Amino acid sequence: MQVFDYDDVQLIPNKCIIESRREADTSVTLGARKFKLPLVAANMKTVIDESLATWFASNDYFYVMHRFKPAERLNFVADMHAKGLFASISVGITKTEYQLIDDLAAKNLVPEYITIDVAHGHSEFVIAMIHYIKEKLPETFLIVGNLGTPQAVKEIEAAGADATKIGIGPGKACITKLKTGFGTGGWQLAALKWCAKGATKPIIADGGIRENGDIAKSIRFGATMVMIGSRLAGHLESPGEVVEENNKKYKKYWGSASAVQKGSSHNVEGRQLLVPYRGPITDTLTEIKEDLQSSISYAGGKDLSAIRTVDYVILHS
């Protein structure tokens, strides 16, 4: 197979059919809901909290809440529903997670979206959790990750997943390939293309996004949504305190498998970084929307579907 990543690919323009880029529609449907952008903030403690999740849901953006305050998830779902907003949570595969599913079912608190979020999602234990969630909460839209092969996508879809999440350690804070020798770091875009061949349901590309144009490239190679961590960290609304170094403002950002997040040095596959302070998140979301509208105009269409069929060149492979 051809191996390439985001920096190695450029998309080739088609004839433009819209008068203004502002006419281009960047919306996307996932499950029963329509969202303004094919974008989801990574379910990481330094990227999203309940306040930001509320803002996303209120403004028609998709989100996945992290699972690092496990005891608060039941109340989170109840709080979101009390506000008339959709709930989107993360779960793992430990025994205590089964109790959470039982509690949600018993209280009739059905999250609109659940993401099974483990580093290596192609697992018998993940499949067991898929079956359990689909039995107890059949109405929830179930996203499962993370995966890195077409075989994994096929098996996880067959088990009952409504969407899959693709990417094994390609994120900015990930060191999986250095620590284990495995993963899609350095060839995430090719892995997305490969996995899309095995998919019949939506795919969420997770990790490796460095520029806004990488979102369009992800869509070209099969993604319905794109999960972003470092690019959406560091905002005014992001969790964490602003720190200053050399008269510049930053916020701390760390991987979900980092020693900081784990609170230990065992099985570490992530690190802590400083990301530049970026001001209000609305500025970044507006920029992403405008850049995607430009991508659609270059693709020769009126909405995101036009990007899926454009030609491309591989600059380095």
Side-chain angles (χ1 to χ4, degrees):
M1 63 177 291
Q2 286 181 306
V3 176
F4 51 85
D5 212 347
Y6 290 100
D7 287 346
D8 303 320
V9 168
Q10 280 190 295
L11 307 178
I12 299 175
N14 287 329
K15 182 180 180 181
C16 182
I17 63 168
I18 52 178
E19 184 176 2
S20 168
R21 297 175 189 197
R22 290 190 297 273
E23 298 173 26
D25 180 6
T26 62
S27 66
V28 64
T29 298
L30 186 71
R33 282 172 171 72
K34 188 175 183 179
F35 301 101
K36 289 179 181 175
L37 290 172
L39 192 69
V40 52
N43 50 336
M44 303 166 75
K45 201 172 181 180
T46 50
V47 176
I48 191 166
D49 57 13
E50 182 166 350
S51 174
L52 193 49
T54 299
W55 187 88
F56 279 135
S58 300
N59 289 277
D60 298 320
Y61 295 104
F62 186 52
Y63 74 91
V64 180
M65 185 61 182
H66 65 72
R67 60 182 174 89
F68 300 115
K69 293 182 178 178
E72 297 180 13
R73 287 174 295 180
L74 204 68
N75 288 337
F76 173 79
V77 175
D79 289 347
M80 294 300 281
H81 286 175
K83 298 170 190 173
L85 302 172
F86 73 91
S88 176
I89 64 170
S90 306
V91 301
I93 54 174
T94 61
K95 291 180 180 179
T96 54
E97 301 294 75
Y98 284 84
Q99 185 61 53
L100 171 67
I101 302 305
D102 288 342
D103 291 344
L104 289 167
K107 294 178 181 293
N108 198 29
L109 287 172
V110 182
E112 285 76 6
Y113 299 87
I114 292 178
T115 298
I116 300 178
D117 178 42
V118 297
H120 185 20
H122 192 193
S123 157
E124 292 293 339
F125 299 96
V126 168
I127 290 170
M129 180 58 87
I130 293 171
H131 291 158
Y132 199 77
I133 291 173
K134 281 300 180 180
E135 176 190 344
K136 296 287 185 175
L137 302 169
E139 295 174 18
T140 199
F141 186 92
L142 184 58
I143 301 164
V144 182
N146 276 24
L147 311 176
T149 67
Q151 180 189 2
V153 171
K154 289 176 182 176
E155 283 193 42
I156 295 303
E157 282 189 353
D162 298 301
T164 55
K165 192 148 64 78
I166 307 302
I168 308 291
K172 194 170 187 177
C174 295
I175 53 173
T176 302
K177 69 177 182 179
L178 302 179
K179 297 284 280 184
T180 72
F182 286 83
T184 62
W187 63 289
Q188 167 71 2
L189 191 58
L192 181 63
K193 177 186 178 184
W194 191 35
C195 289
K197 291 182 177 180
T200 62
K201 299 175 182 178
I203 280 179
I204 298 173
D206 181 12
I209 301 296
R210 302 290 183 264
E211 306 293 342
N212 292 347
D214 295 342
I215 301 170
K217 293 174 186 178
S218 298
I219 292 168
R220 169 59 183 85
F221 289 103
T224 295
M225 301 285 278
V226 182
M227 180 170 271
I228 297 179
S230 61
R231 291 277 298 161
L232 282 184
H235 289 94
L236 172 66
E237 302 85 353
S238 305
E241 297 293 320
V242 175
V243 297
E244 286 199 22
E245 279 196 10
N246 301 321
N247 297 318
K248 292 184 178 180
K249 292 182 178 180
Y250 300 88
K251 277 195 171 184
K252 291 181 180 179
Y253 171 72
W254 57 78
S256 296
S258 65
V260 179
Q261 184 61 65
K262 286 173 172 281
S264 78
S265 58
H266 299 293
N267 301 116
V268 168
E269 294 179 25
R271 58 187 173 180
Q272 178 176 282
L273 308 168
L274 291 177
V275 296
Y277 176 69
R278 297 188 172 105
I281 199 168
T282 51
D283 292 350
T284 294
L285 293 172
T286 298
E287 179 188 318
I288 289 172
K289 178 180 179 178
E290 291 174 350
D291 288 350
L292 268 176
Q293 287 178 313
S294 293
S295 297
I296 291 167
S297 75
Y298 279 116
K302 297 180 179 180
D303 56 32
L304 293 171
S305 65
I307 299 174
R308 297 190 180 282
T309 56
V310 298
D311 288 331
Y312 63 92
V313 293
I314 300 176
L315 305 176
H316 310 286
S317 61

